[in-house]
Amino acid sequence: MSKISKEALNAINKKAGKAISEGSVKKLASTVKPSTMQNEAELRKLIKQVSTMAKVPVSENTIQEIVNAVKKSGMNPSNMEALMKLMIKK
């Protein structure tokens, strides 16, 4: 994975209210495969991992909204930064 933009990392930290390192985000992102975006169970697992990493609870309703938004957007699975920005909006 390429370097995460400072803008995205700052937005993640601001939303989480905690300092999450670029290394932590990269480590999690390295586990994501293109099939993750296509498989609802895998996408839900990823959302929960991000929630745990940020120590921010995510309701089942919000998880479903994120899953639906990812499916609807046809997001490029290799663009992890776009997924993070989508999650930040929720």
Side-chain angles (χ1 to χ4, degrees):
M1 178 178 169
S2 62
K3 185 170 176 67
I4 298 169
S5 76
K6 289 204 181 280
E7 175 188 323
L9 193 58
N10 288 339
I12 291 166
N13 287 327
K14 182 177 178 184
K15 184 73 173 187
K18 299 163 185 68
I20 299 171
S21 72
E22 181 177 352
S24 296
V25 174
K26 281 185 172 184
K27 183 177 178 181
L28 179 60
S30 71
T31 67
V32 178
K33 301 177 181 90
S35 62
T36 302
M37 300 302 178
Q38 307 303 319
N39 182 314
E40 186 170 332
E42 296 237 351
L43 186 54
R44 287 175 171 278
K45 181 179 172 186
L46 174 62
I47 294 165
K48 289 176 183 178
Q49 287 174 318
V50 171
S51 171
T52 299
M53 179 176 68
K55 296 182 177 114
V56 175
V58 178
S59 71
E60 186 58 38
N61 187 47
T62 299
I63 291 172
Q64 188 60 50
E65 287 178 21
I66 294 168
V67 168
N68 291 341
V70 168
K71 286 180 175 180
K72 184 178 179 181
S73 73
M75 185 181 302
N76 181 345
S78 64
N79 190 346
M80 187 64 174
E81 188 171 327
L83 176 62
M84 289 188 294
K85 286 179 179 179
L86 176 67
M87 293 172 80
I88 290 167
K89 292 179 184 177
K90 293 294 175 188

